[in-house]
Amino acid sequence: MYIGLDLGTSGLKGILMDERQQVLAEATAPLTVERPAEGWSEQSPASWIAAAELVLGKLAAQGLGAVKGIGLSGHMHGATLLDSADQVLRPCILWNDTRSFAEAAALDARPEFRALSGNIVFPGFTAPKLDWLRKHEPAVWAKVAKVLLPKDYLRLWLTGEHVSEMSDAAGTAWLDTGKRDWSDALLSACGLSRAQMPRLVEGSAVSGHLRGALASRFGMGAGVVVAGGGGDNAASGVGVGVVRAGEAFVSLGTSGVLFAANDGYQPDPATAVHTFCHALPNTWHQMGVILAATDALNWYSKLVGADAATLTGEVGPLQAPGKSVFLPYLGGERTPLNSASIRGAFTGLEHATDRAAGTRAVLEGVTFAFRDSRDALAATGTQLQHLLAVGGGSRSDYWLRAIATALDCPVSLPVAGDFGGAFGAARLGLMAATGAGAEIATLPQIAREILPDPALKDAFDAGYARYRAAQTAIRSLA
């Protein structure tokens, strides 16, 4: 058996799978985000450990004596700060925290960051968070002995080892992404050293072994390996089988991701596309990232007092975009705008705009944000021939049809099953325990394929033009 643990922003999920990659059990534990100031987003690392204890306790009801490997996945970019005794110094500053926008801009202005990391230094990345800390919390800064990414704090609890892996480390802005190693120059630019960083392994490699006390507590044997794992999107790529050049997926989760695997390193920071290491050796990936996907729909559902499933059930068959336009920039945007200050908007509201029209506008707005990302990927030479759809938003048939039509790209929906970060983490656990490689990360069985609607192509092109015009108009208000 193999366990995958996926540390999400809103909850920790664990799955138990067998050697045939059949999921035997799953468990979840909720997590909350604290927002003590505008633009801030934090979590207590202690809550991750409590959630992991709860999830492993639930999985233990299945009997875990046959477990040979554990894989980890988690939300990226978070700054988890430890002192020399491995005590947490402050709440983790999360990926969607934008307080360090000034520090990010200052680091990004230094040419070595884009040249070595292959990416714009976004406010959500880890490096500017540490620069913010140095300026605003000097007493905490002085005690920082180790900087860990969120899932790697779970690894510390599991194994006692300070280790990370390439895909997550690439989101710090301290990795030489082409060389797959920490950059001493980039660390030095932030007043840090390699000694404060975790050791690096590939995602499919062994990072350590489960501590004996935890093995006994949850009914596992000795020698259980813990794989390097992956950042949430890289692990999802492994889970859905997008590990080879030409394969891609669209993720409709809290944030939205257009993810393409590459067998070479082809950065183009100016596009605001993320170019990161994949969770498998000698493989990279590119992502267009939008910060609010289902998060935007959930925001709208609270605004109008109906749950997301009810709202998406009201919209009927796919229709041409209306006059109402929604810009989903509730907390800034990554690709292609690279703006922490831009905010969302509804435009074109009229007397005829009812709740269903508002829902369609929200779904279309996120869809057009994905089209922005598609165009940014295309500027680097990455062309999308087809997409796999994953994430909670993929339950909306309307949304998938809108994406297929707006991006002029077929969208495939896997058969019922979980192909997200937890499943990818379990696959990485299997690889680390057995020596298997990318060949076990197969594509899922497809339930159906959604083709672009040619009758609505021109209407969606026109809707996208209105979206871009509204985007241009509100950028001056940021």
Side-chain angles (χ1 to χ4, degrees):
M1 295 178 176
Y2 304 91
I3 291 174
L5 297 176
D6 179 33
L7 175 62
T9 313
S10 58
L12 188 146
K13 180 171 184 176
I15 69 162
L16 178 68
M17 81 175 190
D18 65 18
E19 59 197 6
R20 295 172 296 125
Q21 302 189 45
Q22 300 298 307
V23 176
L24 305 174
E26 61 180 61
T28 58
L31 293 165
T32 58
V33 174
E34 302 299 325
R35 298 185 180 277
E38 183 181 359
W40 290 31
S41 180
E42 300 183 343
Q43 265 179 346
S44 166
S47 69
W48 307 336
I49 303 303
E53 290 177 320
L54 183 62
V55 164
L56 288 172
K58 290 178 180 177
L59 294 179
Q62 301 293 315
L64 303 180
V67 170
K68 301 298 181 188
I70 298 172
L72 300 174
S73 166
H75 49 79
M76 298 176 65
H77 315 305
T80 313
L81 309 173
L82 308 181
D83 66 14
S84 58
D86 284 341
Q87 297 301 302
V88 175
L89 291 168
R90 67 172 326 282
C92 176
I93 307 175
L94 297 182
W95 60 275
N96 54 356
D97 187 293
T98 56
R99 76 184 76 178
S100 60
F101 63 92
E103 290 77 11
L107 293 178
D108 191 52
R110 301 180 60 155
E112 66 267 32
F113 275 88
R114 292 193 182 191
L116 293 170
S117 77
N119 294 278
I120 289 172
V121 182
F122 291 93
F125 282 15
T126 322
K129 294 179 171 73
L130 269 291
D131 253 20
W132 181 93
L133 188 85
R134 177 163 54 170
K135 296 174 184 175
H136 298 278
E137 298 181 6
V140 174
W141 165 265
K143 296 178 183 178
V144 174
K146 275 287 187 291
V147 181
L148 295 183
L149 294 157
K151 78 170 191 322
D152 300 325
Y153 184 71
L154 277 183
R155 184 196 321 280
L156 177 63
W157 174 69
L158 290 168
T159 68
E161 301 278 349
H162 303 99
V163 184
S164 190
E165 47 69 47
M166 309 306 175
S167 67
D168 218 353
T172 63
W174 293 317
L175 194 78
D176 185 326
T177 305
K179 292 184 178 178
R180 304 173 83 92
D181 190 17
W182 295 121
S183 165
D184 294 308
L186 299 183
L187 288 167
S188 178
C190 296
L192 296 165
S193 73
R194 190 179 288 256
Q196 291 165 291
M197 296 297 111
R199 175 170 58 89
L200 290 174
V201 300
E202 294 288 352
S204 56
V206 175
S207 70
H209 292 81
L210 184 65
R211 292 190 292 122
L214 291 178
S216 297
R217 178 177 170 186
F218 296 111
M220 289 181 250
V224 175
V225 305
V226 177
D232 49 6
N233 289 302
S236 292
V238 175
V240 81
V242 175
V243 296
R244 288 159 284 267
E247 296 167 350
F249 72 80
V250 58
S251 173
L252 286 158
T254 302
S255 59
V257 176
L258 204 59
F259 180 110
N262 304 104
D263 54 14
Y265 177 51
Q266 50 189 63
D268 189 354
T271 63
V273 165
H274 296 14
T275 303
F276 291 159
C277 302
H278 210 326
L280 296 177
N282 304 312
T283 311
W284 286 260
H285 68 81
Q286 291 178 304
M287 297 189 294
V289 177
I290 61 177
L291 292 180
T294 61
D295 203 28
L297 182 60
N298 290 335
W299 167 82
Y300 181 71
S301 74
K302 292 176 184 176
L303 192 69
V304 299
D307 63 70
T310 298
L311 293 173
T312 56
E314 290 175 348
V315 295
L318 185 66
Q319 57 185 273
K323 293 180 181 178
S324 299
V325 173
F326 175 69
L327 300 165
Y329 313 136
L330 300 177
E333 190 55 298
R334 293 263 186 97
T335 310
L337 303 179
N338 182 28
S339 174
S341 58
I342 196 167
R343 289 296 180 264
F346 272 112
T347 69
L349 298 178
E350 55 188 354
H351 290 296
T353 306
D354 57 12
R355 189 168 84 174
T359 302
R360 285 193 296 272
V362 170
L363 299 179
E364 290 158 4
V366 175
T367 295
F368 291 142
F370 279 122
R371 180 159 166 170
D372 271 348
S373 286
R374 182 206 64 180
D375 292 347
L377 284 167
T380 75
T382 297
Q383 300 292 326
L384 305 179
Q385 304 302 323
H386 65 273
L387 290 168
L388 288 162
V390 300
S394 65
R395 290 191 290 268
S396 168
D397 194 72
Y398 191 99
W399 217 343
L400 297 184
R401 292 186 183 282
I403 289 169
T405 302
L407 274 62
D408 195 24
C409 183
V411 176
S412 297
L413 192 65
V415 296
D418 186 341
F419 301 101
F423 185 66
R427 279 180 158 178
L428 291 165
L430 188 157
M431 292 178 192
T434 66
E439 72 280 355
I440 71 159
T442 53
L443 293 164
Q445 182 182 348
I446 300 303
R448 57 196 175 95
E449 184 178 53
I450 296 171
L451 299 175
D453 187 336
L456 292 174
K457 181 182 183 301
D458 289 346
F460 269 84
D461 288 345
Y464 179 60
R466 291 194 295 275
Y467 173 88
R468 289 300 300 266
Q471 180 190 92
T472 300
I474 70 160
R475 291 184 77 174
S476 64
L477 304 176

